[in-house]
Each structure stands twice: as structure tokens, then as C-alpha cells.
Amino acid sequence: MDTETSEKIQASGILQLFASLLTPQSSCKAKVANIIAEVAKNEFMRIPCVDAGLISPLVQLLNSKDQEVLLQTGRALGNICYDSHEGRSAVDQAGGAQIVIDHLRSLCSLTDPANEKLLTVFCGMLMNYSNENDSLQAQLINMGVIPTLVKLLGIHCQNAALTEMCLVAFGNLAELESSKEQFASTNIAEELVKLFKKQIEHDKREMIFEVLAPLAENDAIKLQLVEAGLVECLLEIVQQKVDSDKEDDITELKTGSDLMVLLLLGDESMQKLFEGGKGSVFQRVLSWIPSNNHQLQLAGALAIANFARNDGNCIHMVDNGIVEKLMDLLDRHVEDGNVTVQHAALSALRNLAIPVINKAKMLSAGVTEAVLKFLKSEMPPVQFKLLGTLRMLIDAQAEAAEQLGKNVKLVERLVEWCEAKDHAGVMGESNRLLSALIRHSKSKDVIKTIVQSGGIKHLVTMATSEHVIMQNEALVALALIAALELGTAEKDLESAKLVQILHRLLADERSAPEIKYNSMVLICALMGSESLHKEVQDLAFLDVVSKLRSHENKSVAQQASLTEQRLTVES
């Protein structure tokens, strides 16, 4: 109905009359509902329909047994709800949603065309009623709409219009966290995969993808999708589309490979696909890494990072040459490479370096050299993963830590990144790597390099971090500096106000026991320097330390006694 006609209807006051023609006794109720459905296609007519009191009688008509009446009433209510807060509220108050859901349930298994048309209209009405409205979507979920729609999809998968309505409904509902558990208790995974296998058209497949992606965030559903054979479909898509430069194919390749990576985020689904490293899926994903397609390289590296989530998988992959493949991939992206690929490949290497047994193997394969090529990167995500990878590799590897700690270029870059105020992650990782170089090498040369590059002040600041683990790493590194190279570091420790900071840590009730313990160890180590010793004396440390002798933690209490003796003797 055109705008002009709708305006005339509104001006004539006829809408108010319609309410009386919508009674169950009225012989023209279906025709009137049809007119309202047409009128409500115009946005400006929806509120007038509500104001004319049409919602309540329309909702009453949903109790009719007449198919035509139900069809036109469903259309009218659906159109009034479209993008209209007032329409939805009125239908909500009149209790329209529950009646429609009851109809969907009772009509679900009838497959004649007239009934399928009615089911499609009802689904559409619920869509318009709840679209982008969290509380109404939650209401439908509580009324049990999800199992009903899944059943509909299974029975009517030959009907394109109805299938499409179900998919749009799933897409909307799946955004809500509360829907995931309900979906997980249906056979949605099976139905969607079955439907997916039948689709040839790009648009239809995209619609299914849009439902799969939010659903696959749930671990139980990930496993169901894997068991329903989604992975095989995705691998097939990748194979078909990899060499195409058509827009649609590129989109589908990206969506398919992204979804594949998402499925690997669940522990069970990932382990099932790994199959002890013998799985065909794992092997296929490996073959993506050397491909020439950036999207596939990215997905391949991310998939490896996801497979590398437990020691067994990591050890198996390193023994089977994955490191060399990732290093080759990184090599192809050193010069103005693809940042997302760099980030993904470094993530995979970092995860692979976690098991102790892998560290030496990866070091001798030349991973540090491969990673250091990215020192000049200006991209925080790449810097962050680079730092994490190096930190994992040198854990308890003295020789490697010493080699890296004497690398002036690296240490200078770390000191620069310790000041990256805009990137807390990079700043934190740089500090942690500086500390790790000292802690794992216990080398005078490494300490000298870090002093010369201006790293000491950062380690002192790190001792005041809000993360206990970082505070601790800093204090242990500083104690090694004080034990091995106090003379070299003395001036920097003084200007960074280390002694004042230690006094604060010991006096603060909230400091963790290990922080108090390591602070006292460090105080004792600083006594070897005349100027720092004087600072300790000036700050009345004895008061704070003697209080700690009665600390509930045995180690802290013992260290307090030792420190007290040391302070008394030296004063």
C-alpha cells in the first residue's frame, strides 16, 4: 500500500473502527487484518496502529482455528513490530509471543504448502518482535523457542523461505550467551551441517556461516560440530576456493578457515582433530602454512598455536618439523610482511616453546635468530609475541639467556619498549624479559650490558608492579645484580630510589609474603655498597624488619631475623 493511501486512512480515523471489526464474530476479520498488514508496511503507520488499540484484538485472533485469519494476523503483527519499540511493547503486553510459539509447536510437523507459509509468517513475526532486543530475545528463549525452531529446520529443510527464516532467527538468538546452552541441548549442529552440505549458493552458505560462528564459541557445540562433520566441509571449501580471485570465493575461504581455527579453540574438539598428530585434519592444516595464500598461512599458523595448547601436542609437533615450517613462513614475511601472519607464527612458536624438552631443540633449530629479525617491527602485537617467545625460550636455559643478554641491539630495544606507555602488554613483557635475561644467565656480562643500556631503572620500577609475579621477578633479578655487579649498578640503583621502594614494600601490609622475603634478601645484598648502606641506615629499616619476625609465614619470619642481625651488626 502506498504512502498516500496510508496517510488518507490515518486522517480518516478508520483505524479506530478497525478494532471493532477484528472480533472473532466478525466476518471480515481476515480482510481487515490484511489491510492492517499492508498499512503497517509504512513506518509512520505503526504507532498509529498501536494507538488505535489494534494490538489486543489482533493477538486475540491468534486463537482462531482459521488458517487465513492466522496468516493475515501474523503478517499484521509482524509488520507492526518491525523496527517499532511501541509495537513490540504492545504485543509483549498482550502476550502474543507465547501463542505464536505454541502454534509453531503444534503445526511443526505438517508439511503442506499452506501450513509452511503460515509457519514462515509466524517465524518472521517472532523475528521482527525480538530483533536486536535482548530482553525480548531472552523471553523467547525462556519460552523454549530454540528447540522448536531447530525441529522446524529439520522437518522443513526443503522449504527455502522457512529455512531462511529459521537461520535468521538462529543468527539473532545465538548472539545471546544464555542461548548457547539451549542450542547445545538440541541437534542444531547436525542440522546445520546437513543443510550446509546441500547448499551451492554463496549467499545461503554465508547465512549458515553467520549462525555457525557465534554458536561455535560454545565448547560443547564446537565438539558437536566436529562430530557432525563440519571440518570436512570446511577443508573442502578451502580446497575449492584457494586459487580463486573471485570476491565471493575469497570471502568464503576466509570465513571457512577462520571457523576452522575457532573450532580448535575448544580443548576437546582440538584434541579430537589432532588425533595424536596423525589426524588427516592436522595434516591438512599443516599444508596451509607453506601455501602462497596469506589467509591460509594465517589460519594455518593460528591453528598450530591452538594445537599447541598442551605439552604432548607441542612435543610431538616439534619432533615432526613444525618449527622449520614456521620459521620459513616468518622468513617470507620479514620485509614489510603481513603483520597478522607474523603475529600468528610467533604465537605458535611461543606456545611450542613452553615444554622444557622443546626449548633446547628450538634454540638449536635457530628460532632466536629467526625471531630477532622482527626486532625492528613497529607493530605492538608483533613486539608482544616476539618478547613472549624469547622469554619462553630462555627459561632455565643459561647459555641462551647469556647470549641474548649480551646482544646490545636487543637490550637497547627492550629498554626502549620498557617505556611504551601506550602499550602496557609490550611494556610488561619487555620488563619481564630484561629480568629473565639476568635470572636465567646469572652472568656479570649480561648485567653490565643491561646497566650500560639504562635498564636498571626499569627493573626497579617493575618491583612496584601491581602483579606479584612481576614484582618478584624484578626483586630476584635485582638481588642477582647486587650480588654480582653491585659496583657497576650502584649509581643507577641509587637514582632509581631502590632503597625507598624496598622500605615501602616491607612496611606495606598488603605486600605478598614472597615480596617481603625477597625485599629483605635484597636489602642484605645492598649492604656491600657504602652509599646504599647509608641510605638503609637513614631509613630506620630495623623497625619494619623486627615487626616481621613474628610474621605468620615461616620463611618471612626467618629472613626477618637474619636481616635484623645483619642490620644490627652493620650499623
Side-chain angles (χ1 to χ4, degrees), residues 163-212:
T163 300
E164 205 160 300
M165 271 301 176
C166 287
L167 288 174
V168 177
F170 291 146
N172 282 355
L173 296 169
E175 299 296 336
L176 262 143
E177 256 328 293
S178 59
S179 74
K180 307 265 177 38
E181 278 178 25
Q182 285 229 7
F183 275 119
S185 62
T186 68
N187 62 339
I188 180 98
E190 212 180 310
E191 294 297 354
L192 288 174
V193 173
K194 203 159 66 183
L195 194 65
F196 193 81
K197 286 177 175 163
K198 283 197 294 217
Q199 298 306 332
I200 306 146
E201 293 166 55
H202 169 76
D203 295 347
K204 290 271 164 45
R205 277 160 105 158
E206 274 303 301
M207 276 187 85
I208 301 173
F209 271 140
E210 276 167 25
V211 181
L212 288 170

Side-chain angles (χ1 to χ4, degrees), residues 41 65 73 131 134 167 192 238 255 267 297 326 342 347 349 352 367 371 414 427 435 438 497 525:
K41 284 181 179 172
K65 298 274 180 281
T73 307
N131 191 25
D134 286 359
L167 288 174
L192 288 174
V238 167
T255 318
D267 289 338
Q297 295 170 359
L326 289 166
Q342 293 172 359
S347 294
L349 286 171
L352 290 166
V367 173
V371 169
L414 290 182
M427 198 161 98
S435 151
I438 295 171
K497 307 231 182 316

Side-chain angles (χ1 to χ4, degrees), residues 455-522:
I456 296 298
K457 62 173 185 286
H458 296 299
L459 289 170
V460 175
T461 309
M462 181 180 168
T464 63
S465 160
E466 66 219 35
H467 304 290
V468 174
I469 192 164
M470 284 174 69
Q471 279 185 296
N472 227 4
E473 288 171 356
L475 291 169
V476 173
L478 289 164
L480 283 165
I481 293 170
L484 296 169
E485 277 297 326
L486 189 52
T488 319
E490 187 178 50
K491 282 206 166 46
D492 289 351
L493 293 172
E494 235 177 298
S495 59
K497 307 231 182 316
L498 173 61
V499 174
Q500 288 85 327
I501 285 171
L502 291 173
H503 189 276
R504 212 167 62 227
L505 290 175
L506 287 172
D508 188 347
E509 308 267 290
R510 291 164 310 184
S511 297
E514 59 267 44
I515 301 301
K516 295 199 157 149
Y517 177 87
N518 283 323
S519 296
M520 288 188 282
V521 170
L522 183 48

Side-chain angles (χ1 to χ4, degrees), residues 48 79 87 91 108 116 132 149 181 206 219 230 237 281 296 317 325 354 371 379 436 465 473 490 496:
N79 290 351
V91 173
C108 185
E116 287 193 323
E132 288 181 358
L149 289 174
E181 278 178 25
E206 274 303 301
D219 282 358
L230 178 61
I237 286 179
V281 174
L296 274 197
M317 288 193 277
K325 285 192 170 72
I354 293 172
V371 169
M379 293 309 205
S465 160
E473 288 171 356
E490 187 178 50

